Amino acid sequence: MFNLKTMSGETTIKGNPSQYVKLNVGGCLHYTTIGTLTKHDTMLRAMFSGRMEVLSDSDGWILIDRCGKHFGAILNFLRDGSVSLPESTRDIAELVAEAKYYCIAELVESCNKALLKKERGEHEPTCRVPMITSQKEEEMLISSTTKPSIKLLINRHNNKYSYTSTSDDNLLKNIELFDKLSLWYSSRVLFLKDVISTSEICCWVFYGHGRKVSEVCCTSIVYAPHKVYTKVDCPEARIYEEALNILLYESRNAPDQELMQATSTRGAVSGMSTYTSDEEEERSGIERLRSNKSNNQA
């Protein structure tokens, strides 16, 4: 327990960092530890380390005569060293005033930078999709994020064959689907766009905990009697399935295998799962090509 020593109707507090205290900040009630309040060199450290006297009521609530609107943000900054700033200029200015009162210099600096950006008309986009410039950059982005990742490899110029009649439309459908998913899940998933790789023309790759989990390849080779074509598909259901499965990697623990089994139409839960849009057509095309070659030789 922390020690309460009454002096002229006021109180000095000093206790174990793990001990909780009750705060009444302008009528807003908060419950936190002494360790949080004394974590940084601020006025709150002085108040809750016994160096300053504080007021308390008969129920044991420590009274702080400040507006409590932004005190939750103050506590979160003390806990984590950073905090999401309010959207409006007015709220940021109010938070600056509170941070100055509690002598939290880093938070004051962050708020002032945000206010300066707003004055200049700068805007932070809600959705960001990095464009991959090298394999090294891709590896760094995927390994450094705590989110699951989805990469769309889209590279139409990497094609020595001609396209089927529906390929161009399907290529655009893949791009549109990627854009929709990135807007919906940008706060939960890191989306990457790769336009420099030469391994495929259109391929989705899904990563969890920094490693490749699955992929959906949307291109296949079609063998016609006198020409070889490249076919591009847009298997939306398959892509949605993998996108939902990758959300299971948001937690630090590996997804439950039974849950993965239940959410997968394929039942492929161990290792990396792959999907090729038209494998059977490709195999049958190869067989026809071999058969025609044998007949010609005969």
Side-chain angles (χ1 to χ4, degrees), residues 19 21 47 99-100 164 204 209 215 266 281:
Q19 296 298 320
V21 291
M47 292 173 64
K100 286 181 177 178
T164 61
W204 297 70
H209 299 163
E215 74 175 31
R266 298 160 296 133
E281 187 173 354

Side-chain angles (χ1 to χ4, degrees), residues 17-30:
S18 63
Q19 296 298 320
Y20 278 80
V21 291
K22 302 185 295 182
L23 306 177
N24 183 337
V25 185
C28 295
L29 306 181
H30 297 271

Side-chain angles (χ1 to χ4, degrees), residues 42-271:
T42 66
M43 192 179 78
L44 289 166
R45 174 185 283 183
M47 292 173 64
F48 292 91
S49 60
R51 288 185 285 158
M52 289 180 61
E53 296 174 350
V54 296
L55 294 173
S56 64
D57 62 15
S58 58
D59 294 323
W61 289 91
I62 308 301
L63 305 177
I64 300 178
D65 188 20
R66 296 293 297 183
C67 177
K69 179 179 178 181
H70 300 289
F71 194 74
I74 297 289
L75 287 179
N76 285 334
F77 185 87
L78 295 177
R79 293 180 182 113
D80 305 325
S82 63
V83 68
S84 297
L85 299 180
E87 290 293 330
S88 72
T89 301
R90 178 178 177 178
D91 285 342
I92 296 176
E94 291 175 354
L95 182 56
V96 169
E98 297 306 306
K100 286 181 177 178
Y101 176 81
Y102 296 112
C103 302
I104 309 176
E106 292 181 10
L107 182 55
V108 172
E109 183 181 357
S110 297
C111 290
N112 285 334
K113 287 181 179 178
L115 287 173
L116 185 60
K117 285 184 178 180
K118 287 184 176 293
E119 289 176 6
R120 293 174 176 174
E122 298 178 17
H123 176 70
E124 292 290 333
T126 303
C127 177
R128 292 185 176 184
V129 178
M131 192 77 73
I132 299 298
T133 60
S134 67
Q135 185 176 355
K136 183 178 180 181
E137 182 186 36
E138 175 186 328
E139 292 172 354
M140 289 179 62
L141 286 168
I142 293 172
S143 62
S144 61
T145 185
T146 57
K147 302 177 182 178
S149 306
I150 297 176
K151 182 186 76 170
L152 175 63
L153 191 165
I154 194 86
N155 197 353
R156 190 182 188 283
H157 72 268
N158 177 36
N159 182 26
K160 60 184 179 180
Y161 304 116
S162 59
Y163 284 86
T164 61
S165 59
T166 59
S167 291
D168 285 336
D169 286 342
N170 286 331
L171 201 65
L172 291 174
K173 287 179 181 178
N174 278 282
I175 297 174
E176 290 171 357
L177 180 56
F178 179 82
D179 291 344
K180 287 180 181 178
L181 289 173
S182 62
L183 288 173
W184 294 341
Y185 297 108
S186 60
S187 62
R188 302 173 63 183
V189 177
L190 172 65
F191 287 87
L192 307 167
K193 189 170 285 187
D194 184 352
V195 296
I196 63 170
S197 296
T198 58
S199 56
E200 291 291 347
I201 297 163
C202 183
C203 184
W204 297 70
V205 189
F206 302 83
Y207 301 88
H209 299 163
R211 67 180 183 87
K212 185 176 179 180
V213 175
S214 61
E215 74 175 31
V216 177
C217 184
C218 302
T219 56
S220 59
I221 305 301
V222 179
Y223 294 90
H226 304 292
K227 202 168 188 179
V228 178
Y229 294 92
T230 297
K231 182 177 181 181
V232 179
D233 290 324
C234 183
E236 289 191 28
R238 188 75 188 87
I239 294 166
Y240 277 123
E241 178 189 335
E242 293 296 351
L244 292 175
N245 280 340
I246 208 67
L247 292 177
L248 298 174
Y249 287 85
E250 286 184 291
S251 64
R252 295 183 180 180
N253 300 322
D256 183 85
Q257 294 298 302
E258 291 184 2
L259 181 58
M260 290 289 286
Q261 180 81 37
T263 56
S264 174
T265 58
R266 298 160 296 133
V269 295
S270 60

Side-chain angles (χ1 to χ4, degrees), residues 34-42 45 77-81:
I34 293 179
T36 294
L37 295 168
T38 59
K39 190 173 183 179
H40 299 268
D41 188 15
T42 66
R45 174 185 283 183
F77 185 87
L78 295 177
R79 293 180 182 113
D80 305 325

